[in-house]
Amino acid sequence: MLSKCANPVCFTPFRYLREGKLFEFDSQRESESVQGSKRAARRVEFFWLCGECSTRLTVIRDAQLGVVTVPIARESKYLVRGAAA
């Protein structure tokens, strides 16, 4: 459940979808089924940036760090660097 802005240094509480920006990420992980075989379980996670933070930041998924906030100006550099790795 969303409770506050995804920016770790911002404490704006989540109240309405009309302000800010909502991000949705799918994550898959293996889970044990009843028969003991493994299968991928789909889990959807939501992250919200408040109106003020969404003008400067975006939310991305990093393979090593997980879901993180990065400055919008650095997003394209970050993605290019990540694609080359």
Side-chain angles (χ1 to χ4, degrees):
M1 181 171 136
L2 298 171
S3 61
K4 72 168 215 60
C5 181
N7 180 359
V9 297
C10 177
F11 298 98
T12 302
F14 173 74
R15 292 199 181 110
Y16 307 104
L17 285 174
R18 66 179 172 228
E19 183 183 314
K21 191 169 182 183
L22 187 66
F23 298 84
E24 176 183 352
F25 292 98
D26 288 334
S27 64
Q28 290 188 349
R29 60 179 183 199
E30 288 187 354
S31 64
E32 289 282 326
S33 68
V34 176
Q35 294 84 14
S37 63
K38 291 191 177 197
R39 63 183 187 103
R42 182 173 180 256
R43 189 172 122 196
V44 178
E45 294 180 284
F46 292 94
F47 298 86
W48 172 76
L49 285 173
C50 70
E52 185 178 335
C53 290
S54 66
T55 63
R56 305 182 322 272
L57 301 171
T58 189
V59 179
I60 63 167
R61 170 171 249 113
D62 177 78
Q64 285 82 33
L65 301 174
V67 176
V68 294
T69 56
V70 295
I72 291 174
R74 289 187 45 209
E75 175 189 15
S76 60
K77 293 177 188 176
Y78 187 88
L79 296 175
V80 170
R81 182 183 60 132

